[in-house]
Amino acid sequence: MYNTHSDIWVAGAFAAVVVDFVVYPFDTLKTRVQSPNYHKVFKDARTGAVQRSILFRGLYQGVWSVVFSTIPASGAFFTTYEAVKSIMYNSSIRAPTSMPSGNTASPNGSLNSLRLPFTHSLPTPIMHGIASSAGEMVSCLMLTPAEVLKQNAQMIQGSQTNNSAMRQVLLRFRRHPWRLWSGYTALVGRNLPTTALQFPLFEYVRSYLIDRRRQRKATNSNTGRPPSEQSDQLVERAGLTGIAAAFSGTIAATVTTPIDVIKTRVMLSASDAGTSGSEVVSSEARTKIKPSKSLISVGRDIIRYEGISGLFKGGLIRAGWTAIALGLYLSLYEGGRFYLENRRKERDRISGKLGV
């Protein structure tokens, strides 16, 4: 890989910010559908019809809390991931003299000297799984407060602006700021299994699509003008990556929807009025979800009051926006890396010719 740490950081941050703005309205709708007060707040009490004017109002409420947390969180993930991966790889009994493919650290970088006090024989996929899990847990420390603020802001009713909604939510946590991390366990509990399902499936589908494309190219190699090497790599790294990511994201999001519903309820309960725009929470909502309850208790209460279907509320919305978000994110990420990689190669080539 020709990319540096800064290339990875820039490409990942750019992709994440773009995706945040594109899919945020879907996330707001999902949060509102999963809210325990969905039927009271967003449906007409007399007819039972959805009040679209309320449901679709303020879809970008709380977006800035997510945007401002994206860059440090993505940086924390990749920094932790690369460090743990290097430590695990350097401590393996099968570690060769060079770093594995895809590592962004330079051959003389400080990461190469980091090792565990013992050696191990773990296979490479397990090492990558440990590294990604560590990165996810560190990243979630930064994402949890933003998620709590975001989801409570998404439930504010009657707010005229996004900033107004965010101010109302911040006031709720003024006396108890530590409750901003109340959904950390739920967020980690959702993200880790999602990642574990998503990325192996993603890698398999992407490899399959690339192999099929190359087979078709080999069959039709004598017909038409072959594409340039750069355009060919761009199609594989950005285009096919996006398709594979969208497919794997849809499957993983659907399977892990119950965990996401529980996470949403826990985070909404972190605020004294997390389920409505007023400062008074309904007694029913307080009975169902309490900040002190465990994740298992929250899930048990959802089944008790709403049935099994309550654990899958917002599943179609979540699957849809995850397909869009992950497909767009990984395609933009790979495209950005490809652009920065080519620019760096060209600059080094020119420097080499000039003898710099």
Side-chain angles (χ1 to χ4, degrees):
M1 180 186 293
Y2 212 79
N3 292 119
T4 63
H5 282 295
S6 61
D7 290 345
I8 300 298
W9 193 303
V10 170
F14 169 74
V17 170
V18 171
V19 169
D20 283 341
F21 277 104
V22 171
V23 305
Y24 194 83
F26 296 96
D27 187 56
T28 300
L29 290 174
K30 182 218 52 157
T31 298
R32 292 174 177 176
V33 170
Q34 292 178 347
S35 166
N37 273 7
Y38 169 71
H39 293 283
K40 289 189 175 182
V41 177
F42 300 106
K43 285 191 174 184
D44 187 283
R46 183 173 55 84
T47 65
V50 175
Q51 301 185 74
R52 298 180 182 275
S53 61
I54 299 178
L55 181 63
F56 292 96
R57 181 191 303 158
L59 293 180
Y60 276 95
Q61 290 176 179
V63 68
W64 291 111
S65 65
V66 177
V67 171
F68 289 145
S69 67
T70 293
I71 295 177
S74 61
F77 174 84
F78 284 113
T79 300
T80 304
Y81 174 75
E82 291 296 343
V84 175
K85 184 174 70 173
S86 296
I87 292 172
M88 296 293 295
Y89 193 81
N90 293 339
S91 304
S92 173
I93 60 176
R94 300 186 301 273
T97 56
S98 61
M99 296 302 292
S101 176
N103 186 41
T104 57
S106 61
N108 297 320
S110 59
L111 290 179
N112 290 342
S113 61
L114 299 175
R115 297 175 183 274
L116 294 171
F118 54 86
T119 58
H120 63 84
S121 58
L122 294 174
T124 300
I126 299 298
M127 290 191 285
H128 289 173
I130 294 173
S132 61
S133 296
E136 191 70 54
M137 288 189 289
V138 172
S139 177
C140 284
L141 280 173
M142 300 181 181
L143 289 176
T144 299
E147 280 284 309
V148 172
L149 291 172
K150 175 198 74 175
Q151 294 196 323
N152 280 276
Q154 288 171 337
M155 294 302 299
I156 294 290
Q157 300 302 314
S159 177
Q160 297 299 318
T161 64
N162 174 56
N163 291 335
S164 175
M166 185 55 64
R167 280 197 301 270
Q168 292 184 51
V169 172
L170 287 172
L171 287 174
R172 296 174 181 174
F173 292 93
R174 180 176 53 186
R175 297 182 179 179
H176 307 287
W178 58 86
R179 290 174 66 179
L180 289 171
W181 279 269
S182 62
Y184 174 75
T185 304
L187 186 63
V188 170
R190 181 199 69 175
N191 286 1
L192 289 186
T194 299
T195 301
L197 284 171
Q198 196 167 266
F199 280 90
L201 182 59
F202 159 72
E203 293 290 352
Y204 173 80
V205 174
R206 182 172 65 170
S207 297
Y208 174 79
L209 292 175
I210 290 176
D211 289 342
R212 286 292 301 272
R213 183 172 184 273
R214 290 178 178 176
Q215 289 174 8
R216 288 197 301 269
K217 281 176 56 183
T219 303
N220 303 325
S221 59
N222 296 325
T223 61
R225 182 180 179 181
S228 66
E229 182 179 353
Q230 283 197 5
S231 64
D232 195 53
Q233 289 186 36
L234 184 61
V235 169
E236 291 186 357
R237 291 181 59 171
L240 298 184
T241 290
I243 295 173
F247 177 80
S248 62
T250 300
I251 302 298
T254 301
V255 173
T256 58
T257 292
I259 305 174
D260 185 61
V261 173
I262 294 173
K263 187 254 334 175
T264 297
R265 298 294 179 88
V266 170
M267 288 187 167
L268 289 179
S269 69
S271 168
D272 288 338
T275 56
S276 69
S278 65
E279 291 302 318
V280 180
V281 181
S282 68
S283 60
E284 181 183 359
R286 287 187 181 277
T287 301
K288 289 182 183 180
I289 305 295
K290 295 180 180 179
S292 60
K293 283 194 172 184
S294 67
L295 301 181
I296 296 177
S297 297
V298 171
R300 187 184 299 119
D301 284 349
I302 292 174
I303 296 175
R304 176 185 176 186
Y305 289 99
E306 305 168 47
I308 295 294
S309 61
L311 291 174
F312 289 89
K313 282 187 173 180
L316 289 177
I317 298 175
R318 182 168 185 255
W321 75 256
T322 300
I324 298 172
L326 190 63
L328 184 60
Y329 173 75
L330 290 183
S331 61
L332 285 175
Y333 173 68
E334 285 293 336
R337 278 181 48 198
F338 183 69
Y339 168 77
L340 294 173
E341 178 181 311
N342 286 336
R343 189 177 69 169
R344 190 174 298 279
K345 285 181 178 179
E346 184 64 25
R347 186 172 58 198
D348 290 350
R349 188 181 302 113
I350 293 174
S351 298
K353 290 181 179 179
L354 295 176
V356 178

